[in-house]
Amino acid sequence: MAPGLMNPFHFQGLTKRDHMKDLRSYLVFKYLQYLILPFPNVVISLLGLCASSYVTLLLMSPNISRKSTVVFIQNVAQADILVGFSVFAMIQDASQGERSSCSFQTALWQNFQTANAHISSLLLSCVSLEAFLITFLPAETRHIRTVRCARVASKFIWTSVIAECIVYQLECLRDLNITSLGAPKYTLVLLNSCNGAAALMKSFIYPIGLFLRIINVYLFYKIFFSKSP
């Protein structure tokens, strides 16, 4: 056995490690991944999945205080689970003989990636907004910068993005003759409504993404270049 492994001071040093430094590094990486890089990258996504797995284990430590920012970081890490589902669905789709451009499997792994990117971007924007409020309005916003509000905001983001991706998933059924399969006629009306809603949402994706990038840059500009203490 290597010397020092059973030394209690060695484990005490690991326990007292500055975990917040790791969390800040994780946030920087995630900002680069979702708000700086213009397109998703498989290698970066897998690295992000590994980092999120580490952060998930890190957040189990009792030394990390449970604050609203930690709630957002925890949800960002959980959102990367969708990357694993995406890789699994992509492998399953690649094993199929068909290469349909709108197969259910293809739409599935694309929607996992979409959900991951959208949830993470919105949660990171919440972190930016919270940092801005802490810097400029600490006392006035104390009542909304709580763990409860962070959990409510996170649940709202998850629910909204999952509903968005369900609409996208139903869109891939538009070319099927649903009524011939015995489905009720109102199902066709529902699918047509989903197709219209999907087209409308896709038209807003780029402007919203651009707005999030601009607002995050502005918030951090105000934070880092302000003379306020």
Side-chain angles (χ1 to χ4, degrees):
M1 182 178 295
L5 285 181
M6 296 303 295
N7 187 347
F9 294 102
H10 177 73
F11 290 99
Q12 186 178 9
L14 290 177
T15 304
K16 292 184 177 180
R17 178 178 174 176
D18 185 11
H19 296 311
M20 296 308 297
K21 182 178 180 180
D22 293 336
L23 295 180
R24 286 191 292 268
S25 299
Y26 175 74
L27 280 177
V28 171
F29 177 80
K30 285 299 174 181
Y31 276 112
L32 291 173
Q33 180 181 355
Y34 293 111
L35 297 174
I36 303 298
L37 296 178
F39 301 105
N41 183 284
V42 176
V43 176
I44 297 297
S45 297
L46 292 177
L47 289 176
L49 178 60
C50 295
S52 294
S53 300
Y54 169 73
V55 167
T56 301
L57 294 175
L58 192 64
L59 293 176
M60 296 180 182
S61 171
N63 297 324
I64 297 180
S65 60
R66 294 298 180 263
K67 297 181 179 180
S68 53
T69 303
V70 174
V71 173
F72 290 129
I73 294 175
Q74 184 177 26
N75 278 271
V76 172
Q78 291 172 351
D80 266 6
I81 297 175
L82 298 171
V83 174
F85 290 151
S86 174
V87 172
F88 174 77
M90 185 169 49
I91 294 173
Q92 184 181 14
D93 185 57
S95 65
Q96 302 289 336
E98 277 182 46
R99 290 295 185 270
S100 174
S101 60
C102 194
S103 67
F104 188 87
Q105 292 87 352
T106 302
L108 185 63
W109 72 261
Q110 289 177 344
N111 283 325
F112 279 138
Q113 289 181 331
T114 298
N116 170 249
H118 291 183
I119 290 172
S120 299
S121 299
L122 291 170
L123 289 170
L124 290 171
S125 299
C126 290
V127 174
S128 303
L129 178 60
E130 185 177 41
F132 178 84
L133 295 177
I134 291 173
T135 303
F136 295 100
L137 300 169
E140 296 85 347
T141 61
R142 190 185 303 274
H143 64 288
I144 62 174
R145 292 184 290 103
T146 62
V147 171
R148 180 178 178 275
C149 290
R151 288 174 177 169
V152 170
S154 299
K155 289 179 181 179
F156 177 78
I157 290 173
W158 275 89
T159 303
S160 302
V161 174
I162 289 175
E164 172 197 5
C165 291
I166 289 175
V167 172
Y168 292 157
Q169 191 66 35
L170 292 176
E171 186 187 18
C172 73
L173 302 177
R174 66 180 182 274
D175 295 328
L176 298 179
N177 192 352
I178 301 298
T179 55
S180 66
L181 299 178
K185 291 184 178 180
Y186 66 80
T187 305
L188 184 61
V189 177
L190 177 62
L191 289 178
N192 289 333
S193 301
C194 288
N195 295 338
L200 181 62
M201 286 189 294
K202 288 179 179 178
S203 66
F204 284 101
I205 291 302
Y206 179 77
I208 292 176
L210 181 61
F211 173 76
L212 288 179
R213 287 176 170 84
I214 293 174
I215 196 65
N216 276 276
V217 171
Y218 172 77
L219 291 177
F220 280 112
Y221 171 82
K222 294 292 291 183
I223 291 172
F224 288 114
F225 291 95
S226 173
K227 296 181 180 180
S228 175

